Amino acid sequence: MNREEKTELLGLLNDVFNKAGSVVLAEYKGITVAEADALRNKIREAGASIRVTKNRIARLAVKDTNFAPLADLFKGPIIMAYADDPISACKACVEFAKENEKLVIVGGALTDKVLTINDIKQLASIPSMDELRAKLIGLLQAPAAKMARVFKAYSEKEAA
């Protein structure tokens, strides 16, 4: 990698850190190519992005961002999952780590807070926005549906 490529990568990573809402870092030592593809697909399906990069450049890129405390975690083979929302990257990484013990989550951060491994697991347990919307719609529809059933039963009873 020449100097121009490193400068371009530094700018790209700095842009990622400035725009991301959450970042999860994990060690991926020993993961096969097929497992890495499965991880990439899982993270993309969750609406997040994933990147493997040079640790030295990542430490430089994270320097003047909200994620600066993560600089010490860029050691060894690190994979970086990031997303605009705080949940999707956490959820995808935790789910994959449950299936494959070779992926070890080492830490992460939200825009203003460093996350421990337990914090990441708690965020991963939060339902997605689609699930929350479905639950809310179900809660809103339930009283009306019950009333409709009562009125229908009453009208059928009157007719009989």
Side-chain angles (χ1 to χ4, degrees), residues 137-158:
I137 289 171
L139 287 172
L140 293 173
Q141 287 180 342
K146 286 180 182 178
M147 276 182 38
R149 282 192 293 273
V150 168
F151 288 140
K152 183 179 179 195
Y154 183 72
S155 66
E156 288 174 355
K157 184 179 175 184
E158 289 291 318

Side-chain angles (χ1 to χ4, degrees), residues 84-151:
D84 294 335
D85 66 282
I87 298 173
S88 59
C90 296
K91 188 175 283 251
C93 287
V94 168
E95 286 177 6
F96 189 82
K98 285 179 185 176
E99 299 167 6
N100 190 334
E101 65 245 5
K102 293 176 191 170
L103 184 77
V104 179
I105 297 171
V106 294
L110 289 174
T111 54
D112 58 348
K113 182 180 185 257
V114 175
L115 301 173
T116 64
I117 297 165
N118 289 332
D119 293 337
I120 293 170
K121 289 179 181 177
Q122 285 179 338
L123 278 174
S125 67
I126 295 173
S128 70
M129 283 301 287
D130 290 338
E131 292 174 53
L132 290 174
R133 286 182 185 123
K135 287 180 181 181
L136 180 63
I137 289 171
L139 287 172
L140 293 173
Q141 287 180 342
K146 286 180 182 178
M147 276 182 38
R149 282 192 293 273
V150 168
F151 288 140

